[in-house]
Amino acid sequence: AGVRTLAELLAEKKRQAQDGGAPDCSGGGDRSRRDRGPRPLQPLPEFELADKELPLLEERGLALQETYQAAVAVRATEGELARMRMWELREHIASLLPFEATWTLLSETPQVATFVGRFQCRSDVDRACALIAGASGVKLGQSSVRAVLQPQSQCPPFVERWREDFPHHFDDCEPGHRPDTIAIAGIPVRWFARANTREVDIELVKKAFGRFGPVRAVDAIRADASGPGSLDFTALVQYHTYAGFVRALASLHNKHLAMRDGAREMQAAITARVDTSAAMSAEGIAQRRAAERDRERRAAAQAEQARAADEARR
């Protein structure tokens, strides 16, 4: 009675081979897996950090390019910094360097304003660090505000801190509740817009970021969540496989987006982070769609009120 047939043995072996397919992170799936407990998230698959330039969407001249940057903190006693305009501080920092750099305000407190400079090459970053470090403590203009360099001459490390938010095996979790989604913010709408519209073409986004691995789903969130008036958007890109997700994350690391239009090249500073909010889970998508419908209803009601008020004035 204890002897099993060959068909039974093969069926059991097939179940064991498919043992990565449970649909949730709560120990669901077959009984044998629940008895063993949840499996931990698998190690990172092998990957390589992308080249200095990586084509994304050749028909639109889009590519990822390596970002060279350094951070400068401008420190002052409380009140002094508030008396200075940020554009003046940017000019003072730029005047310390004999070559071109683009400076952007990153953060501001009553005592510290931090700017990030983007450079053409790695050697310019190293030269900037040396030059501004040499001028550290020098007053900016006629004020008592002083600049202190925070060197960032090397590429920031590829951080794996997000793994702490996903303790369970990729295949044991529902989509959106596992490390499968990357949020890419700061993408110009017009670079991915449908012809003659201001609407993001989801298929173009899927094609561009699908070069790293098969994409399960894509969503586009406008920067101000108000619709066509937004100039940039955040792409939520969800991958079918753990390997594709990691490959995309590594390729986006320390990169900016560039578009070539003939002899002209434009750049956009993007940020890529692992989504830990389950934004592309079934519940997350449903909540977003409900919020969109609510905004549309409010916009329609406001338009109707404006129309009624206009007719009343007539």
Side-chain angles (χ1 to χ4, degrees):
V3 177
R4 289 180 293 176
T5 65
L6 177 61
E8 289 173 333
L9 290 171
L10 290 174
E12 181 179 350
K13 191 171 185 65
K14 183 177 180 181
R15 284 196 301 273
Q16 291 173 349
Q18 295 174 341
D19 202 21
D24 57 47
C25 299
S26 58
D30 64 79
R31 183 177 180 81
S32 62
R33 182 178 312 157
R34 290 200 302 270
D35 293 341
R36 290 197 304 270
R39 297 178 295 173
L41 181 64
Q42 57 266 56
L44 283 177
E46 291 187 6
F47 65 90
E48 294 182 1
L49 293 178
D51 295 333
K52 293 182 178 180
E53 181 163 335
L54 184 65
L56 274 188
L57 205 59
E58 293 184 1
E59 62 262 39
R60 296 212 172 185
L62 292 173
L64 290 173
Q65 294 179 346
E66 187 170 358
T67 297
Y68 305 100
Q69 61 186 23
V72 174
V74 180
R75 303 180 183 277
T77 58
E78 189 168 354
E80 287 181 303
L81 199 60
R83 289 195 291 270
M84 294 198 71
R85 298 181 180 89
M86 290 300 109
W87 67 267
E88 290 179 318
L89 292 180
R90 279 200 305 269
E91 286 190 356
H92 286 313
I93 295 169
S95 69
L96 298 173
L97 306 178
F99 47 85
E100 190 71 24
T102 302
W103 294 95
T104 305
L105 179 66
L106 179 65
S107 62
E108 181 183 359
T109 70
Q111 292 85 23
V112 183
T114 302
F115 294 86
V116 171
R118 293 173 57 201
F119 301 84
Q120 295 294 321
C121 59
R122 178 78 63 199
S123 60
D124 282 353
V125 176
D126 296 336
R127 289 172 62 201
C129 286
L131 288 169
I132 303 179
S136 184
V138 173
K139 293 181 180 180
L140 296 180
Q142 302 300 314
S143 72
S144 59
V145 177
R146 300 174 185 274
V148 179
L149 179 70
Q150 295 176 329
Q152 193 179 331
S153 60
Q154 296 183 350
C155 172
F158 181 73
V159 181
E160 302 173 23
R161 205 169 297 143
W162 51 268
R163 288 175 59 86
E164 300 171 3
D165 295 297
F166 300 99
H168 300 303
H169 195 281
F170 184 90
D171 295 331
D172 292 353
C173 301
E174 285 277 9
H177 293 285
R178 59 192 185 185
D180 61 3
T181 303
I182 302 176
I184 309 163
I187 304 175
V189 169
R190 60 194 179 94
W191 292 6
F192 284 88
R194 295 190 185 95
N196 302 317
T197 74
R198 294 183 179 179
E199 295 296 325
V200 175
D201 189 332
I202 293 296
E203 290 304 313
L204 276 181
V205 179
K206 190 172 184 178
K207 182 178 179 181
F209 297 102
R211 66 167 293 127
F212 308 118
V215 173
R216 183 177 185 274
V218 171
D219 203 357
I221 302 175
R222 296 281 187 157
D224 60 4
S226 65
S230 306
L231 296 178
D232 57 71
F233 71 99
T234 296
L236 294 172
V237 184
Q238 186 179 53
Y239 289 90
H240 270 292
T241 65
Y242 187 49
F245 162 82
V246 173
R247 193 179 302 116
L249 192 62
S251 299
L252 289 162
H253 174 63
N254 198 47
K255 296 289 190 297
H256 61 267
L257 192 60
M259 186 177 81
R260 289 193 179 93
D261 184 9
R264 184 177 61 161
E265 180 176 291
M266 295 165 283
Q267 297 180 348
I270 59 173
T271 58
R273 62 173 178 81
V274 178
D275 174 62
T276 58
S277 67
M280 291 299 282
S281 65
E283 317 89 79
I285 293 172
Q287 289 173 3
R288 237 178 0 268
R289 297 296 174 261
E292 289 171 3
R293 289 192 295 270
D294 187 50
R295 283 196 298 271
E296 289 172 0
R297 283 194 295 268
R298 289 201 305 268
Q302 290 172 357
E304 179 61 26
Q305 289 174 358
R307 186 189 64 79
D310 187 54
E311 288 184 356
R313 284 194 295 271
R314 292 178 184 177

